Amino acid sequence: MTALDALTHLLNFVLPAVLLGGLAAGLAKLVWFRALKAVPWRSLAGWASAAATAALVGGLLLTGRDGAMLTYGAMVLACAAALGWAGWGRH
């Protein structure tokens, strides 16, 4: 495996978590636009993506493989918890 192949595998591994974090942050800003007006989208997306990535890595370590439904469920829960913390809990 070349370095470029390894980088591609790593990016493809993390991409679902980053996309989930960004989409969830955007939807949260749309649904709770008044409550989250002061919180930047970038901050919400960063925290949500980081939490989803941590759940993704934890699921890989726990199950031993990528793509387990348990891992994707944990990603959604971690993303929601991070959005709640970043949007309302830190103030």
Side-chain angles (χ1 to χ4, degrees):
M1 179 182 295
T2 66
L4 184 59
D5 289 338
L7 179 64
T8 302
H9 280 287
L10 178 65
L11 291 176
N12 284 330
F13 174 71
V14 176
L15 187 63
V18 173
L19 288 176
L20 175 66
L23 287 173
L27 288 173
K29 291 278 285 181
L30 281 175
V31 172
W32 294 288
F33 60 92
R34 286 192 183 114
L36 295 177
K37 185 191 296 187
V39 183
W41 173 85
R42 191 175 203 168
S43 174
L44 289 174
W47 283 108
S49 295
T53 301
L56 189 63
V57 171
L60 177 64
L61 294 175
L62 183 68
T63 63
R65 64 183 184 91
D66 182 27
M69 291 307 292
L70 175 70
T71 302
Y72 292 139
M75 281 175 51
V76 170
L77 292 177
C79 183
L83 283 173
W85 179 78
W88 292 281
R90 292 190 325 165
H91 299 221

